Amino acid sequence: MAVVLKLDGVSKSFARVEKNDITNALENINLEMHSGEFISLVGTSGCGKSTMLRLIAGLITPTTGTLTVNGEKIEGPATSRGMMFQQHTLFPWLTVEKNIAFADTMAGKNKEQASVDEVNRMLKVIGLENFRVDYPAQLSGGMQQRVALARSLICKPEILLLDEPLGALDSFTRMNMQDEILNLWKENKQLVIMVTHDVDEAIYMGTKVLVMEPHPGRINNIIDIDLEYPRNRASSKFVEYRRQILDLLHFGQKED
Ligand SMILES: Nc1ncnc2c1ncn2[C@@H]1O[C@H](COP(=O)(O)OP(=O)(O)OP(=O)(O)O)[C@@H](O)[C@H]1O
Ligand SMILES: [Mg+2]
């Protein structure tokens, strides 16, 4: 089903009791996002990216404003809105394949064989077919992160929320995983919202890049990335987008 996700005047403040003040993590966010879009969220640490994903996931409620999916208010978590957390949360007592299958079971899709096929496919996508019976503690940080990613992808949620999903990976694995995520997105045509600190990754993957600003957290700019997939990181248009976004993040290079 096609979805429209709307944020209307959304703000989120957190009380800091010990300092007797509040943090305005997000202020007056107005956004509309649709199935088939791949939204990259970039911005400096603390500008409210994870807070925005948690609000959409229904894990926290806004201080003001409303979030809706197809006109219905988000009032809590739902399997149609899947989230991969910044600090991934694998079950240490389950093997790689059982960690991945667990998500499918939770989503109520546990038709035994279908689940086994999907788990096998996901193990292939993340390149860990030979580690299916290993436990998380036996894996490297990057491998654990790929298992967590597979767990969020297997449920095929209508809205997929990824919080720095590739941050722990070496650059080669990272580029492969970018392509794998894009392939799954093209197949499922869901709405993906992905936080990344990597401007190239944001441009390479996103149909749009949202640039955020901190204190209070807000959206500074929305840039439509008008490039065909697969994208060429060295093309002049790509390089121009990079320059534009780095400028907005105040990391612009001075001309020689
Ligand atoms: N549960 C919480 N209680 C109090 N303050 C919070 C809470 N969650 C977030 N904040 C504050 O809200 C602001 C935004 O936090 P958030 O985690 O959304 O940032 P972020 O953009 O994801 O940063 P990073 O890139 O470092 O992950 C920060 O100032 C943070 O201290
Ligand atoms: Mg964060």
Side-chain angles (χ1 to χ4, degrees):
M1 188 178 72
V3 297
V4 182
L5 167 66
K6 267 191 181 176
L7 280 69
D8 282 311
V10 169
S11 303
K12 180 68 184 174
S13 318
F14 293 104
R16 293 202 297 174
V17 178
E18 69 286 1
K19 294 193 174 149
N20 198 23
D21 69 359
I22 55 165
T23 303
N24 291 320
L26 288 175
E27 193 171 83
N28 194 25
I29 306 287
N30 295 290
L31 271 179
E32 189 174 309
M33 297 172 264
H34 302 90
S35 293
E37 286 188 307
F38 194 118
I39 312 285
S40 300
L41 264 185
V42 298
T44 47
S45 183
C47 71
K49 304 180 295 295
S50 296
T51 302
M52 181 126 98
L53 293 197
R54 296 176 97 86
L55 283 165
I56 296 168
L59 298 170
I60 53 175
T61 51
T63 308
T64 62
T66 52
L67 296 97
T68 56
V69 176
N70 292 349
E72 272 191 44
K73 202 167 162 193
I74 295 177
E75 289 187 305
T79 51
S80 58
R81 283 174 273 117
M83 170 127 172
M84 176 184 168
F85 294 93
Q86 196 169 356
Q87 256 78 41
H88 59 77
T89 46
L90 298 179
F91 299 116
W93 62 89
L94 292 182
T95 61
V96 164
E97 63 184 353
K98 288 196 172 131
N99 258 291
I100 297 172
F102 181 79
D104 226 15
T105 314
M106 284 302 283
K109 293 187 200 157
N110 196 16
K111 294 177 221 92
E112 282 297 331
Q113 193 51 43
S115 186
V116 170
D117 291 347
E118 276 298 295
V119 170
N120 287 338
R121 174 159 182 233
M122 281 302 146
L123 283 166
K124 197 159 176 228
V125 164
I126 60 171
L128 292 181
E129 290 153 295
N130 294 332
F131 293 86
R132 60 172 66 230
V133 294
D134 285 61
Y135 289 88
Q138 296 169 287
L139 307 176
S140 72
M143 289 155 93
Q144 291 178 23
Q145 195 173 35
R146 278 182 276 158
V147 178
L149 177 63
R151 211 170 52 170
S152 62
L153 294 172
I154 197 170
C155 301
K156 302 194 185 79
E158 287 168 343
I159 301 177
L160 176 62
L161 307 165
L162 302 173
D163 201 345
E164 297 186 42
L166 308 178
L169 304 185
D170 65 88
S171 56
F172 304 111
T173 313
R174 188 168 184 148
M175 285 193 266
N176 277 332
M177 291 306 303
Q178 289 170 355
D179 289 330
E180 295 292 356
I181 295 174
L182 286 175
N183 287 339
L184 290 168
W185 165 66
K186 280 179 211 153
E187 201 176 288
N188 296 316
K189 300 182 181 63
Q190 73 265 68
L191 166 61
V192 179
I193 308 173
M194 180 187 76
V195 172
T196 177
H197 278 125
D198 181 334
V199 171
D200 274 30
E201 181 167 280
I203 303 167
Y204 185 74
M205 299 183 78
T207 54
K208 287 183 181 163
V209 178
L210 265 59
V211 183
M212 294 184 65
E213 287 258 307
H215 315 302
R218 60 201 184 281
I219 292 164
N220 166 327
N221 230 296
I222 300 176
I223 296 154
D224 289 306
I225 306 296
D226 183 20
L227 294 170
E228 295 291 319
Y229 293 95
R231 292 173 172 170
N232 175 357
R233 296 171 213 262
S235 74
S236 56
K237 258 180 126 176
F238 196 106
V239 172
E240 187 47 42
Y241 281 123
R242 182 190 301 138
R243 183 204 304 268
Q244 185 185 358
I245 293 166
L246 286 173
D247 267 347
L248 289 166
L249 292 167
H250 312 294
F251 291 107
Q253 299 278 314
K254 294 233 165 27
E255 296 290 338
D256 289 329

